Each structure stands twice: as C-alpha cells, then as structure tokens.
Amino acid sequence: MKNIAIFVSGEGHATERVVKLFNEGNRVHTVLVVMDESSTDLPERLKEEDVTLLHVTEEDWKSHTQEIASLLKEKDVKLLVLDNFDLVIPDEIMETTAGEFIRVTSYEQAPREVVAALEAELRKPVEEIKTEENETEPDPTPESEWADALKIQFTPPKVPSTPPEIPAPEVSFNNPNFQENRNRNFEFSPFKEKREDTANEPMPSTYLIWSILVTIFCCFIPGIIAIIFSSMVSSKYYIGDIDGSRRASRQAEIWIIVSVVLGVLAATLYIPFMLIG
C-alpha cells in the first residue's frame, strides 16, 4: 500500500476522483487532503471517505507547516499530489516525501498521472529487488491479475536495468526560481518531461474488447494470448516503455487474427461434417 497526500485549491474534482478511485483498492490510499479557503464544498463531498481533511488559509499557512509535515511523516506519505494548489510549499513539507511530488493536469488524467509517478518511484535496483524477494510479496500487475482470472501461469518479466535516481527539487520560500515557477502555475514537476513525452505519443490500441470477443466466439487459446498482450499495452505505456507498448499491441492484433482464422476454419470444416452426418 502506497500512501499519498493531496494539496488542493478550488473545486477539487480531480482530488475527489483520485480519492474515491484509489481508496477502494489496496495499492494506493489517499491519507491526507490539505485545502485552502477556495475549496468550499470539497469536505462535504469527501465526508464518507477514509481520509484526513485539513483546511488552511493563506494567512495561517506558515503556522500549519510543522503540523502538516508531522502528519505526512506519521502517515508515511510517499508522494505529494498538487491539484491547482496556489500556496508555496515549504521545505519542511517537501522533505517529508524526499521531494517526490506531482501536479495533476486534469480530472481525466489525474489517476494515470498518479500511477505513473508511483511507478517511477517504485522502480528499484536489481540487487534491492532480489534482497526483498523473500521478504515481501510484489504488488499485482495487470498481467498477473489477468493470468489469475484466466487460471493460467504467468511469469513476470525481470528488471532489465537499474534506472537513474530522480533528483529531489529544491523548494524554498526565498528562492526566486520557485516564485517564478509558482506564477507559471507550478509547471516544474520532476515528472513533467515524462508526461509531455507520453502526451506527444498516443497509447497504441489495446484491442482488449476484440481479444475478449475472439476468445468467446472464435478460438480459446489464441484469444487468451491476445488478452494477455492487450493488458500489457497500457501498463508498458504508463511506465514510459512506448516501444514495448507498441510491440504488445502488435502481438495482440496478430493473435486476434490467428484466433479469427482458426475459428473460421473450424466452422467451415464443421458444417460439411454436419451435412454428411
């Protein structure tokens, strides 16, 4: 379980969606939502959710810095999410998440951006992963969940290399670069470059619906293989593996065609046998 905190200004529709979507699962949980005075009805919309709400104004923001930092440490927050948040983030708060934060861009993209940020934070060196293999069970992936649902064996791919460490940003009240970035509406997220690359490269087609249909109506085994490759398209895309996503999409398309062809051949041979019989 990875805990996140959200700092929000305004109506907070993206915040509401992230809280209600992730808090129903067992992988990501929103434990703290900090709102400014512009978030008037957000507490009412989140009153049924298991999340701590903190309402602060711009005047007393600095006086709450230590309180918020303590809450982040206490709740073991791994990622700070900014939803149109207009106030300056002090160093004490940023240090609690080791500089890991992201600014969500819209209601539709917010869950994907949070997942992409956490996937980047979860990448570890091969040696560290091997050390923890016998200690903790890895979180389920879309591929393993599909394999469990279809009752087939799935072996997760090995980590190919050690990713570079993401530098923590320097955030300060007196830093002129920070004030300039604040005026530009916080467009300096360490994940910005990755999101721009993903936005410029649309996700290949998953063919998931077609995979399910050919599994049911055509040929079962090639259909299952097509479903597995279909589920790999989005997971590879959101961790930045665009080439792998394209390959998975192409493989899904190939196995769909194979399933259709085998299904047509089977039907073609079955009808004459029925007529003869």
Side-chain angles (χ1 to χ4, degrees):
M1 177 76 70
K2 294 297 177 181
N3 295 334
I4 66 173
I6 305 177
F7 287 14
V8 55
S9 297
E11 297 181 353
H13 292 302
T15 297
E16 181 182 5
R17 187 182 188 197
V18 169
V19 171
K20 292 184 177 180
L21 178 64
F22 289 131
N23 284 20
E24 293 179 357
N26 60 358
R27 298 183 62 186
V28 181
H29 191 82
T30 306
V31 294
L32 176 65
V33 174
V34 178
M35 305 162 288
D36 66 8
E37 63 271 19
S38 64
S39 304
T40 54
D41 63 340
L42 185 58
E44 180 67 21
R45 304 200 310 265
L46 296 179
K47 67 179 181 179
E48 301 297 331
E49 303 298 327
D50 180 22
V51 59
T52 301
L53 302 176
L54 186 61
H55 214 150
V56 297
T57 63
E58 187 171 1
E59 291 74 18
D60 60 5
W61 170 240
K62 292 184 179 179
S63 63
H64 283 74
T65 297
Q66 192 59 45
E67 175 187 354
I68 295 172
S70 299
L71 280 173
L72 294 174
K73 290 180 180 178
E74 176 185 341
K75 296 178 180 297
D76 192 26
V77 172
K78 300 298 184 183
L79 179 68
L80 182 61
V81 180
L82 306 180
D83 181 10
N84 295 318
F85 195 67
D86 295 329
L87 302 179
V88 179
I89 310 296
D91 289 338
E92 296 92 326
I93 293 178
M94 296 301 300
E95 289 171 357
T96 60
T97 59
E100 297 292 342
F101 75 99
I102 184 175
R103 180 176 181 81
V104 294
T105 58
S106 66
Y107 171 85
E108 295 80 7
Q109 296 296 325
R112 297 180 181 179
E113 291 168 341
V114 171
V115 170
L118 287 173
E119 288 288 346
E121 188 270 335
L122 288 172
R123 296 178 187 174
K124 298 179 180 180
V126 177
E127 295 78 8
E128 185 176 351
I129 292 176
K130 289 182 178 179
T131 303
E132 297 180 354
E133 278 181 352
N134 297 327
E135 298 177 2
T136 59
E137 184 177 350
D139 292 334
T141 62
E143 295 90 341
S144 63
E145 290 176 351
W146 270 109
D148 291 340
L150 297 171
K151 306 300 182 185
I152 61 176
Q153 185 176 3
F154 171 75
T155 302
K158 297 181 183 279
V159 178
S161 61
T162 302
E165 183 180 358
I166 300 176
E170 296 182 2
V171 183
S172 174
F173 284 113
N174 300 320
N175 189 341
N177 293 329
F178 180 86
Q179 297 295 339
E180 179 181 355
N181 281 319
R182 182 192 174 195
N183 295 333
R184 289 204 305 256
N185 206 20
F186 269 85
E187 302 227 347
F188 64 100
S189 167
F191 304 102
K192 176 183 176 185
E193 180 178 353
K194 179 178 178 180
R195 293 202 309 275
E196 286 180 351
D197 293 342
T198 304
N200 292 333
E201 183 68 36
M203 184 174 68
S205 177
T206 62
Y207 300 107
L208 183 56
I209 295 178
W210 286 106
S211 300
I212 296 173
L213 290 177
V214 298
T215 301
I216 297 173
F217 297 108
C218 294
C219 193
F220 182 71
I221 295 178
I224 290 178
I225 299 175
I227 288 175
I228 294 175
F229 279 113
S230 295
S231 66
M232 294 172 63
V233 174
S234 58
S235 61
K236 289 181 178 294
Y237 176 79
Y238 288 124
I239 63 173
D241 187 3
I242 304 300
D243 291 336
S245 179
R246 290 199 199 98
R247 289 193 297 270
S249 176
R250 180 57 181 163
Q251 288 295 324
E253 182 181 10
I254 291 172
W255 283 104
I256 288 171
I257 294 173
V258 170
S259 181
V260 170
V261 171
L262 292 178
V264 171
L265 289 175
T268 303
L269 295 174
Y270 177 75
I271 293 174
F273 278 115
M274 288 294 296
L275 293 176
I276 293 173

